[in-house]
Amino acid sequence: MRILRSIIYVLIVLVATPFLLVHYGPSGVATTSKVALNALFGYGGDEPSADIVRQQLDVADGFRLDLYATGLGKIRFMYATEAGDILVSRPRSGEVLILKADANRDGSPDEVSVLLSDLTRPHGIDYLNGWLYVAESNAVGRIAFDAVSGRVSGVYTRVVTGLGDKGNHWTKTLRAGSDGWLYLSSGSTCNVCEEEDPQRASVMRFKPDGSELSIYATGLRNSVGLDWAPWSNELFGTDNGRDLLGDDFPPCELNNIVEGGFYGWPYINTSTLDPDYGDKLPKDSPENLLPAHEFKAHNAPLGIRFLRHSALAGFERSALVALHGSWNRSVPDGYKVVVLKWQPDGTIIESDFVSGFLQSGNLLGRPVDVTETRDGTIYISDDYSGSIYRVLPDDGLESSFTLPAAVQQVDADVGVLDGYDAQKRASLAAQGAQLYQQFNCAACHQPASRMALKTLGERYNAASLADFFSAPTPPMPAFPLSAEQREAMAVYLFDQELKAAH
């Protein structure tokens, strides 16, 4: 099998190399051809060893990185469950895998298995209201999912169908918003053209049952990564700039995606009219919205994840972005994960978070997506070697992962508020009651509703419920609460539950 794969690789490289030489020169052709094969045909590299990963990859100060899993094939986007399991899509196999959390602390998932199969090029994954949603290339489906046990039940049903997946950029990325809608990106069919299908090169949204599908924003050539800034609930998306305008133009983009927003493609690259389509810009075109941040040209930013659980100073207003790396530069660039840090004045500073995937022509991997579990552990997927890397705080200790308190059994003999004296409990409960009213929590949590607040004491303790409020599961929004306010909300809810029980 290895010999056959090598023969196929050589034949394709022989065909591709003259094109690469003509357009980009001899520098970097070996690496570029490998990346082109990965992009076009799914060709990947060898599985790295743990030692090579430690030797070759550099991670930001305060963190350490190790190889979590490899040999997973052409994996793409991920979702981290409350139990610490990692779901990852495998489009070319039509599957979604589940990597069970490393409960035995041996540095690798306890089990890897196929969760869903027989899908059409699945890519984006998210979870909302007990349903696991999967963005296939031509549809969106959902199935009931228990985030604690990691099991699906019932029948997988497609709630959105008829999505275009011909041409380039067929992947669809899916994210659930705190507003109860699901947001779906669809890339362009081409490098640069005027699309016949208005859904292409856009971000759409729809209700959880698949209804009310509509176009939310346009002019986005290939906006693969989507996530919300937790401090403002603004939606940001990465976008890949067009090719064949040289090594350094146009830049790839990070956009603040707003309803009705137009982001230029194919007529405008950032603020510059496109040489091929700039003169075709419709006179009634909406205003071109400029990027919130520019990445280097052809770096191919894909997954973006705002950090919600990192305890390290300096990462409170930060997002990690996976740069898949260039396939069409004379000198390859990208191939790393960067951190974007929002400054008080709204500007964004970019710096390396994980680098070293490409060294002296040796390509180790191509980062695709980033996710974070509730204990602050960060995971990075790589579709070139079929690996997932794990990033932990560098405390000199092995992973301290435990199942989140929300899914642990709480000792029934220990009252959830026994750690508070009467005065402290009353003070926090009063503050929590005021916050509950201020944010109109009762609008969703009516006693008779499906989201009624029941049996909290069986699922949380005061600390874990307060932690939940820092990054609640959608559709519950992330309210701007301080640590003391989160604790007050937890105490108030437990206080109300205990009073109701007596």
Side-chain angles (χ1 to χ4, degrees):
M1 181 62 70
R2 182 179 294 273
I3 294 174
L4 178 60
R5 189 176 73 170
S6 298
I7 292 172
I8 294 173
Y9 168 70
V10 170
L11 289 174
I12 298 177
V13 168
L14 288 173
V15 173
T17 296
F19 169 83
L20 296 167
L21 284 167
V22 167
H23 286 272
Y24 308 114
S27 175
V29 168
T31 299
T32 300
S33 59
K34 286 184 177 181
V35 174
L37 291 171
N38 173 256
L40 296 174
F41 306 108
Y43 178 91
D46 294 332
E47 300 168 12
S49 69
D51 288 340
I52 289 176
V53 167
R54 282 191 291 268
Q55 293 167 10
Q56 186 164 331
L57 297 185
D58 295 316
V59 65
D61 290 344
F63 296 90
R64 62 184 179 87
L65 178 146
D66 53 41
L67 180 65
Y68 186 60
T70 192
L72 301 177
K74 307 301 177 270
I75 55 174
R76 291 287 289 185
F77 265 50
M78 298 181 289
Y79 172 77
T81 75
E82 288 188 12
D85 301 333
I86 303 298
L87 310 186
V88 60
S89 61
R90 194 157 61 174
R92 296 178 188 274
S93 303
E95 297 169 334
V96 173
L97 306 180
I98 181 167
L99 284 66
K100 298 297 289 183
D102 179 21
N104 63 9
R105 299 182 180 87
D106 67 351
S108 60
D110 286 357
E111 179 186 347
V112 179
S113 61
V114 175
L115 184 69
L116 296 172
S117 59
D118 298 322
L119 305 177
T120 302
R121 296 192 289 187
H123 191 255
I125 313 169
D126 213 339
Y127 175 81
L128 180 65
N129 296 340
W131 295 97
L132 179 65
Y133 287 82
V134 180
E136 302 177 67
S137 65
N138 61 359
V140 176
R142 70 178 185 178
I143 189 169
F145 179 69
D146 185 335
V148 176
S149 67
R151 296 175 181 172
V152 294
S153 60
V155 178
Y156 178 83
T157 304
R158 291 177 174 88
V159 295
V160 175
T161 58
L163 300 174
D165 63 353
K166 306 302 181 185
N168 299 341
H169 310 139
W170 48 261
T171 65
K172 304 291 188 292
T173 300
L174 177 79
R175 293 302 307 276
S178 61
D179 56 3
W181 292 76
L182 288 109
Y183 290 75
L184 179 72
S185 68
S186 179
S188 64
T189 63
C190 59
N191 175 36
V192 58
C193 64
E194 291 182 312
E195 296 285 2
E196 297 180 1
D197 180 354
Q199 291 182 347
R200 300 302 290 264
S202 77
V203 168
M204 297 168 274
R205 71 174 183 177
F206 59 92
K207 288 294 183 70
D209 62 359
S211 64
E212 300 184 44
L213 176 69
S214 62
I215 295 174
Y216 187 77
T218 60
L220 295 159
R221 178 177 176 270
N222 191 23
S223 195
V224 181
L226 301 171
D227 199 12
W228 282 264
W231 59 88
S232 64
N233 210 33
E234 294 174 289
L235 176 60
F236 286 87
T238 60
D239 195 23
N240 289 204
R242 64 158 293 184
D243 299 317
L244 305 179
L245 293 182
D247 274 2
D248 301 314
F249 187 81
C252 294
E253 300 177 358
L254 176 74
N255 292 300
N256 182 356
I257 299 177
V258 298
E259 186 172 7
F262 170 67
Y263 297 88
W265 186 89
Y267 310 105
I268 306 170
N269 302 301
T270 59
S271 59
T272 303
L273 288 175
D274 187 85
D276 298 315
Y277 281 84
D279 59 353
K280 298 179 174 63
L281 178 67
K283 295 186 183 302
D284 59 350
S285 175
E287 177 189 1
N288 173 48
L289 299 181
L290 296 178
H293 176 72
E294 295 181 2
F295 301 97
K296 290 183 180 179
H298 314 303
N299 273 201
L302 298 183
I304 177 173
R305 185 70 54 171
F306 283 92
L307 296 179
R308 291 168 169 83
H309 305 291
S310 175
L312 269 71
F315 288 84
E316 297 85 0
R317 293 167 62 93
S318 300
L320 299 181
V321 178
L323 303 184
H324 204 217
S326 63
W327 66 270
N328 58 351
R329 295 187 85 254
S330 60
V331 178
D333 196 15
Y335 311 100
K336 58 186 174 182
V337 177
V338 296
V339 57
L340 305 180
K341 295 186 177 182
W342 271 251
Q343 306 303 301
D345 63 358
T347 58
I348 299 171
I349 295 177
E350 175 184 334
S351 60
D352 289 355
F353 186 74
V354 176
S355 59
F357 285 97
L358 176 63
Q359 291 186 13
S360 304
N362 178 27
L363 181 61
L364 176 69
R366 303 188 74 194
V368 175
D369 193 24
V370 181
T371 193
E372 182 190 26
T373 51
R374 292 182 65 83
D375 68 338
T377 304
I378 296 162
Y379 295 86
I380 301 164
S381 63
D382 162 17
D383 67 350
Y384 183 74
S385 71
S387 302
I388 293 179
Y389 310 93
R390 182 173 64 173
V391 180
L392 299 157
D394 188 12
D395 53 10
L397 303 174
E398 291 301 312
S399 171
S400 59
F401 177 83
T402 58
L403 293 181
V407 298
Q408 292 177 359
Q409 295 294 321
V410 178
D411 190 339
D413 295 329
V414 179
V416 289
L417 296 181
D418 283 358
Y420 297 92
D421 60 38
Q423 183 177 358
K424 181 68 172 178
R425 172 176 165 176
S427 174
L428 287 170
Q431 183 182 0
Q434 182 179 359
L435 291 166
Y436 193 85
Q437 181 177 6
Q438 175 185 339
F439 291 106
N440 195 24
C441 301
C444 293
H445 298 290
Q446 296 289 345
S449 76
R450 184 171 53 81
M451 293 187 288
L453 298 169
K454 301 175 181 177
T455 65
L456 290 175
E458 296 178 10
R459 296 176 286 136
Y460 297 88
N461 56 35
S464 65
L465 184 57
D467 179 65
F468 172 80
F469 293 140
S470 66
T473 303
M476 180 175 168
F479 294 116
L481 301 174
S482 67
E484 180 182 354
Q485 289 173 323
R486 293 196 298 270
E487 182 183 19
M489 281 283 283
V491 169
Y492 166 71
L493 292 174
F494 284 133
D495 188 66
Q496 294 298 108
E497 182 174 308
L498 292 171
K499 287 179 180 178
H502 294 89

